[in-house]
Amino acid sequence: MGELSGRVALVTGGARGLGAAAAKALAAKGAKVVVSDVRDGTETAAAIDGAFVKHDVTSEEEWIAAVQFAKDKFGGLDILVNNAGVFWMMPLPMETLENFRKMQAINVEGVFLGLKHCIPAIAERAHLWDGGGAVVNLSSVAGIVGAPNIIAYNASKGAVRLMTKSAALEYAAHKVRVNSVHPGIIDTPMMAEAAKVIEATTGQGANATRDQFATRHPLGRMGRDIDIANAVAFLASDAAAFITGSELVVDGGMTAI
């Protein structure tokens, strides 16, 4: 029996990258997983005997529908992984208000709506598990320390970090734990796309940016999706029963410098 046997999880942005890895890690521990994404996530869901729901995290109506889908398909909801998000780099004078708001809509408002609509459903069943229900919000090292050219991203991930703590305090009495994971630079499709843009604008050779990303971590490499997925699965499990309102930094030592 898996550590999460009997539990139902909803993973946003689950079609690829960190979301898909998290969905697979939760399923491997016995959870039934609803994969949600604006992209087609049917392949990811089928691979883990889960279910896919089309879901724009900026839409309150689609959040309500996604929670109901989990209840109808698997009988309830016990775990939320707020993973959906976007990233880009832009010098401050060139960043537009429109794009700044777009990033906050996805990275911040999407998390807020997930907390608002999923936590009450999770609280309904939290008494069934020794560690209660669990929410894991994907923040970033950019939610802890600043960096140039990512002011919109810094703002969004800092907000996720503190929303996590607020929700954790509000729902501790209901046995719903809320924590955040703060990845370093992870080798995902989204990061590969960002590296290509940087190389195109700077004239660097192919993979030069990826090599620079790797050297920013004292462990000497970029993170892998499984590194983050394992952290998510841990925080969702009863092994983390006394952990709430905390941030788990998974960055190869990057923020220790």
Side-chain angles (χ1 to χ4, degrees):
M1 298 292 286
E3 295 175 21
L4 298 174
S5 181
R7 287 174 237 206
V8 181
L10 170 62
V11 181
T12 68
R16 67 172 191 168
L18 296 184
K24 292 172 184 176
L26 294 170
K29 291 185 176 293
K32 287 294 185 182
V33 181
V34 174
V35 173
S36 94
D37 208 309
V38 292
R39 293 181 175 85
D40 183 5
T42 52
E43 184 176 342
T44 300
I48 58 175
D49 194 26
F52 169 67
V53 62
K54 192 84 168 179
H55 180 199
D56 176 355
V57 297
T58 67
S59 166
E60 188 159 18
E61 292 75 15
E62 291 190 23
W63 266 109
I64 294 169
V67 173
Q68 190 60 50
F69 179 86
K71 290 181 174 181
D72 293 343
K73 185 70 177 179
F74 295 125
L77 186 63
D78 307 291
I79 299 163
L80 167 65
V81 180
N82 264 321
N83 165 76
V86 292
F87 169 83
W88 60 74
M89 301 183 72
M90 187 64 62
L92 175 56
M94 297 175 64
E95 185 63 275
T96 66
L97 180 58
E98 178 184 8
N99 280 340
F100 185 91
R101 287 173 172 168
K102 177 182 178 181
M103 185 171 285
Q104 308 319 305
I106 297 169
N107 292 8
V108 181
E109 293 176 14
V111 171
F112 159 71
L113 290 171
L115 295 170
K116 177 180 178 179
H117 292 290
C118 292
I119 287 182
I122 293 170
E124 291 173 7
R125 289 162 48 102
H127 67 279
L128 297 175
W129 322 112
D130 289 341
V135 176
V136 183
N137 295 326
L138 267 292
S139 181
S140 167
V141 292
I144 299 174
V145 297
N149 301 316
I150 59 167
I151 192 166
Y153 192 70
N154 271 143
S156 71
K157 292 305 184 178
V160 170
R161 176 174 177 259
L162 284 180
M163 286 195 298
T164 297
K165 294 179 183 298
S166 178
L169 293 173
E170 187 167 344
Y171 276 89
H174 299 271
K175 290 195 68 177
V176 179
R177 297 178 297 102
V178 188
N179 294 289
S180 55
V181 173
H182 297 255
I185 304 174
I186 311 300
D187 193 0
T188 63
M190 186 167 70
M191 191 52 61
E193 291 163 6
K196 288 180 181 178
V197 170
I198 293 169
E199 287 166 357
T201 56
T202 62
Q204 294 186 130
N207 297 320
T209 302
R210 291 170 59 86
D211 292 341
Q212 290 173 2
F213 286 165
T215 60
R216 292 185 64 185
H217 303 83
L219 287 182
R221 65 170 175 87
M222 283 196 287
R224 305 182 183 106
D225 57 12
I226 190 62
D227 296 323
I228 307 307
N230 285 339
V232 170
F234 164 68
L235 288 173
S237 76
D238 291 345
F242 202 56
I243 302 174
T244 196
S246 294
E247 56 257 11
L248 179 53
V249 180
V250 188
D251 69 349
M254 187 177 181
T255 56
I257 298 173

